[in-house]
């Protein structure tokens, strides 16, 4: 089916190309859901992006009111009208001002709308809203007949039309007929959940083509309408074999490729006070040291506080902030809903084009949405970052009661490529920190739990020390090292004693051998003397 692209972010994706070309589309919803804004953006994007002139016929707002209302979206309606690309027409229909002299029909509207279409060669038309137009029909039979005639007339003119309608009781519209005669029906819903406004869009029907059938979040921002598909992103993104450093040499050494894959997603989980933020900032600083851009979303600390705190561990972020390599966006999660946070991230990424993104922490998003909503939002975010080849590192707080469970409340641990956990290693009267890699797709990695220290020069991983009952940390590590050193010294002294004893025995043996050799020589001399005397006697006897 031929389609007219809307130019609205995400809507063309879930409609698989746009609205039905040359056919009417019904956009219905309750007050405040953005029906008029969506219809106006459909017209303006058609003019600006696709060269399709359009007519907007309003039955409630005047042309001046419409122009003022959409100016905040950056739409200059007077300029488009002056260029002959857009026609705004206000039709005032008031039942109290109508004097009935015969059968009321829409013939006058057809003439007026047809003239507006022909005057600029319009290809797109908006009627806003249809309830105001039909307020003059007291007869339901005539009303339904005229609704059908209006939709047929629009089809015959071959214009792509968006008709807005108010939500009815028990039906999508008040009359309950428009949704049946429309080729495409889009339902907008504005609901409040836990005191947070959430908008949802659903394509109720679309004749002759497949389309997304889920409910999709949408937002109205200063850039206009933005629909956020939940399931439309396919796993077809490219991958890279390049490696990026974590910023901690000891942690890099635990990976077979000495770091993370570029464009991968990394999850860092742990309880409070386990240096998750320090590890995240170390990664961000390393990216900046390599001349790459990093975007840091902080949900717990302000930028000045984060900069000050990181100076205590040898990470000075001021230089990177001044050069523009590092950008910190800090806010409480409750400032906006989940979808607004997602759109904000999308917009900033589109503006800055970073090489890496850090979100610290994602667990705070639970305060503005259910676990399923947060999981859905993070799934879309991870897919979006992967499609754009951006390396993403996210931290997540795990409560103490679930600290030993290899599970995150947001349920994204299975989505990420690398999962690192930091934990408390409690000893006798002290608390230490340990780090381990739970998974890393595509590369070998260490299975050890490594103790690490947060020093004035950053994070330093310590060598593994094994005791009688396993890995020892903290003061136990030092005591075990002393025991190991004492044992090594004892072994060395024993070796030296054995060497001395061996040397003594060697000297005794050499002395014995020398005595035996001397005794042998004496016997040999005696035998030689006797032999000489015997030979001399024999010569004398002859």
């Amino acid at each position: 089916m031929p389609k007219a692209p809307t130019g609205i972010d995400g809507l063309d994706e879930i409609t698989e190309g746009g609205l039905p070309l040359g056919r009417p589309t019904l956009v219905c919803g309750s007050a405040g859901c953005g029906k008029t804004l969506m219809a106006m953006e459909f017209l303006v994007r058609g003019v600006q992006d696709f060269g399709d002139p359009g007519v907007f016929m309003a039955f409630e707002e005047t042309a001046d009111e419409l122009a003022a209302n959409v100016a905040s979206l950056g739409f200059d309606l007077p300029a488009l009208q002056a260029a002959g690309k857009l026609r705004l027409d206000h039709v005032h229909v008031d039942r109290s001002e109508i004097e009935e002299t015969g059968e009321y029909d829409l013939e006058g509207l057809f003439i007026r709308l047809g003239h507006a279409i022909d005057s600029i060669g319009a290809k797109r038309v908006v009627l806003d809203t249809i309830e105001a137009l039909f307020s003059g029909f007291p007869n339901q039979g005539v009303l339904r007949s005229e609704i059908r005639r209006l939709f047929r007339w629009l089809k015959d003119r071959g214009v792509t039309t968006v008709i807005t309608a108010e939500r009815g009781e028990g039906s999508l519209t008040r009359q309950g007929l428009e949704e049946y005669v429309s080729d495409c029906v889009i339902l907008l819903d504005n609901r409040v959940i836990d005191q947070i406004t959430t908008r949802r869009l659903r394509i109720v029907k679309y004749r002759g083509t497949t389309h997304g059938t889920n409910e999709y979040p949408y937002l109205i921002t200063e850039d206009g309408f933005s629909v956020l598909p939940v399931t439309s992103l396919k796993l077809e993104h490219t991958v890279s074999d390049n490696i990026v450093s974590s910023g901690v040499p000891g942690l890099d050494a635990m990976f077979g490729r000495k770091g993370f894959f570029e464009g991968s997603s990394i999850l860092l989980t742990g309880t409070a006070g386990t240096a998750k933020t320090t590890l995240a900032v170390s990664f961000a600083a390393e990216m900046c040291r390599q001349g790459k851009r990093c975007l840091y979303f902080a949900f717990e600390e302000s930028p000045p506080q984060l900069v000050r705190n990181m100076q205590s561990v040898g990470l000075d972020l001021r230089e990177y902030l001044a050069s523009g390599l590092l950008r910190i966006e800090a806010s409480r999660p409750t400032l906006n809903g989940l979808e607004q946070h997602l759109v904000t991230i999308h917009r900033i990424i589109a503006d800055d084009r970073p090489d890496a993104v850090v979100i610290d922490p994602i667990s705070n998003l639970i305060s503005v949405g259910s676990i399923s909503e947060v999981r859905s939002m993070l799934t879309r975010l991870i897919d979006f970052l992967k499609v754009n080849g951006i390396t993403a590192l996210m931290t997540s707080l795990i409560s103490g009661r679930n600290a030993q469970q290899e599970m995150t409340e947001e349920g994204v641990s299975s989505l990420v490529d690398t999962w690192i956990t930091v934990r408390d290693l409690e000893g006798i009267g002290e608390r230490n920190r340990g780090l381990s890699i739970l998974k890393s797709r595509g590369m070998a990695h260490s299975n050890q739990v490594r103790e690490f220290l947060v020093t004035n020069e950053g994070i330093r991983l310590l060598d593994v020390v094994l005791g009688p009952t396993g890995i020892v940390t903290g003061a136990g590590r030092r005591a075990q090292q002393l025991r190991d050193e004492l044992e090594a010294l004892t072994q060395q002294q024993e070796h030296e004693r054995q060497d001395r004893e061996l040397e003594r025995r060697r000297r005794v043996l050499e002395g014995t051998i020398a005595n035996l050799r001397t005794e042998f020589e004496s016997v040999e001399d005696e035998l030689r003397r006797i032999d000489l005397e015997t030979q001399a006697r024999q010569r004398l006897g002859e």
Side-chain angles (χ1 to χ4, degrees):
M1 172 179 289
K3 299 181 180 181
T6 64
I8 297 175
D9 290 340
L11 184 57
D12 290 338
E13 190 175 355
I14 61 178
T15 57
E16 299 185 5
L19 304 182
L21 183 66
R23 301 187 183 189
T25 296
L26 179 67
V27 178
C28 53
S30 57
C33 62
K35 300 184 296 295
T36 301
L37 290 178
M38 179 179 179
M40 181 60 76
E41 185 164 356
F42 167 71
L43 279 190
V44 174
R45 299 294 182 194
V47 172
Q48 295 178 342
D49 301 340
F50 309 106
D52 291 345
V55 172
F56 193 104
M57 182 165 283
F59 303 103
E60 292 182 339
E61 297 177 279
T62 65
D64 292 338
E65 290 172 342
L66 283 171
N69 291 343
V70 300
S72 60
L73 303 180
F75 299 156
D76 190 349
L77 300 189
L80 296 177
Q81 291 184 87
K85 298 295 185 181
L86 182 66
R87 179 78 178 267
L88 297 180
D89 194 2
H90 175 240
V91 178
H92 179 67
V93 179
D94 191 340
R95 179 63 182 167
S96 64
E97 298 178 2
I98 297 176
E99 182 180 351
E100 293 190 26
T101 59
E103 190 74 16
Y104 181 77
D105 59 30
L106 297 179
E107 195 61 37
L109 175 69
F110 295 159
I111 295 173
R112 185 166 178 172
L113 182 57
H115 173 70
I117 293 173
D118 295 337
S119 65
I120 61 173
K123 297 181 179 180
R124 302 187 180 203
V125 172
V126 170
L127 301 181
D128 180 52
T129 62
I130 198 170
E131 280 77 21
L133 173 62
F134 291 126
S135 63
F137 286 96
N139 189 315
Q140 290 295 317
V142 175
L143 171 60
R144 299 175 73 87
S145 175
E146 288 302 296
I147 290 177
R148 291 181 183 274
R149 196 158 74 96
L150 171 62
F151 279 74
R152 173 48 55 189
W153 185 88
L154 292 169
K155 281 189 178 182
D156 293 341
R157 291 302 301 253
V159 290
T160 306
T161 309
V162 170
I163 301 172
T164 65
E166 296 177 4
R167 186 76 179 268
E169 295 182 4
S171 61
L172 295 179
T173 60
R174 289 187 179 181
Q175 307 304 328
L177 178 65
E178 299 93 320
E179 59 262 36
Y180 295 103
V181 296
S182 300
D183 289 83
C184 178
V185 178
I186 299 176
L187 175 63
L188 303 181
D189 185 26
N190 187 17
R191 67 190 71 164
V192 178
I193 302 174
D194 294 332
Q195 301 180 2
I196 297 175
T197 299
T198 303
R199 292 183 169 100
R200 294 288 187 270
L201 176 148
R202 180 168 66 93
I203 301 176
V204 178
K205 79 171 186 179
Y206 198 146
R207 289 174 178 161
T209 182
T210 58
H211 56 86
T213 58
N214 297 328
E215 278 195 328
Y216 301 97
Y218 70 93
L219 291 172
I220 301 174
T221 67
E222 62 270 17
D223 297 321
F225 241 72
S226 179
V227 184
L228 306 172
V230 178
T231 58
S232 58
L233 285 175
K234 298 180 180 179
L235 298 177
E236 297 176 350
H237 54 271
T238 59
V239 296
S240 172
D241 287 331
N242 297 331
I243 299 297
V244 295
S245 171
S246 66
V248 180
L251 178 56
D252 289 342
M254 296 179 68
F255 292 95
R257 297 287 300 275
K258 309 304 180 185
F260 311 129
F261 280 121
E262 186 178 67
S264 63
S265 54
I266 303 100
L267 178 64
L268 182 61
T269 62
T271 55
T274 49
K276 297 184 299 297
T277 298
T278 304
L279 285 165
V281 173
S282 298
F283 168 72
E286 178 63 25
M287 295 297 293
C288 294
R289 275 194 293 268
Q290 298 176 11
K292 298 180 180 180
R293 300 174 66 86
C294 183
L295 179 59
Y296 195 107
F297 290 94
F299 290 143
E300 291 184 334
E301 298 176 271
S302 66
Q305 182 182 3
L306 186 64
V307 171
R308 183 203 64 187
N309 293 347
M310 291 303 105
Q311 286 178 335
S312 65
V313 294
L315 297 172
D316 192 348
L317 304 179
R318 293 173 295 181
E319 176 185 352
Y320 306 131
L321 289 169
S323 64
L325 291 175
L326 177 64
R327 176 174 176 177
I328 301 176
E329 290 289 326
S331 65
R332 288 295 183 188
T334 51
L335 175 66
N336 297 304
L338 289 175
E339 311 308 331
Q340 183 64 51
H341 281 298
L342 184 58
V343 168
T344 300
I345 293 173
H346 279 218
R347 186 178 67 250
I348 296 176
I349 288 175
D351 293 340
D352 280 18
R353 298 293 180 185
D355 299 288
V357 169
V358 176
I359 303 177
D360 178 36
I362 60 173
S363 48
N364 280 22
L365 297 173
I366 294 292
S367 61
V368 291
S370 65
I371 292 179
S372 61
E373 291 173 334
V374 173
R375 184 183 299 114
S376 173
M377 178 261 196
L378 292 175
T379 300
R380 284 175 280 146
L381 176 58
I382 291 172
D383 287 343
F384 172 75
L385 295 174
K386 283 190 174 184
V387 167
N388 289 274
I390 298 172
T391 308
L393 187 146
M394 298 170 286
T395 70
S396 178
L397 175 67
I398 298 179
S399 60
R401 63 180 182 277
N402 295 327
Q404 302 302 321
Q405 298 180 5
E406 295 184 357
M407 181 61 65
T408 60
E409 293 182 352
E410 305 80 24
V412 297
S413 54
S414 62
L415 299 175
V416 297
D417 301 303
T418 300
W419 185 5
I420 302 171
T421 179
V422 285
R423 66 187 70 173
D424 291 327
L425 303 176
E426 295 188 3
I428 301 176
E430 63 180 11
R431 184 174 67 87
N432 304 293
R433 300 182 178 98
L435 178 149
S436 61
I437 302 172
L438 296 182
K439 76 171 185 179
S440 184
R441 291 172 177 160
M443 70 171 69
H445 56 276
S446 172
N447 63 349
Q448 292 180 329
V449 178
R450 297 284 300 276
E451 183 184 3
F452 67 92
L453 301 176
V454 181
T455 70
N456 294 334
E457 299 178 353
I459 290 179
R460 180 168 63 90
L461 268 69
L462 304 178
D463 295 332
V464 175
V465 175
L466 296 176
T469 60
I471 297 176
V472 292
T473 61
R477 162 191 290 272
R478 182 55 184 162
Q480 183 63 39
Q481 288 176 336
L482 291 175
R483 286 193 293 269
D484 293 343
E485 292 174 0
L486 178 60
E487 182 179 354
L489 179 60
T490 302
Q491 290 179 353
Q492 181 181 356
Q493 291 175 344
E494 177 63 19
H495 290 161
E496 291 176 352
R497 186 192 65 79
Q498 291 177 356
D499 290 343
R500 290 194 300 271
E501 179 64 19
L502 182 62
E503 178 65 20
R504 184 186 65 79
R505 292 186 178 186
R506 184 184 63 79
R507 289 197 299 269
V508 170
L509 178 60
E510 290 178 350
T512 302
I513 293 173
N515 292 334
L516 291 174
R517 182 177 290 109
T518 301
E519 183 177 350
F520 175 78
E521 290 175 352
S522 298
V523 173
E524 186 180 31
D525 290 343
E526 180 65 22
L527 292 174
R528 187 179 296 109
R529 183 184 64 77
I530 294 173
D531 183 60
L532 291 174
E533 289 179 354
T534 302
Q535 292 178 1
R537 289 192 197 100
Q538 289 177 353
R539 285 195 298 269
L540 291 175
E542 294 176 354

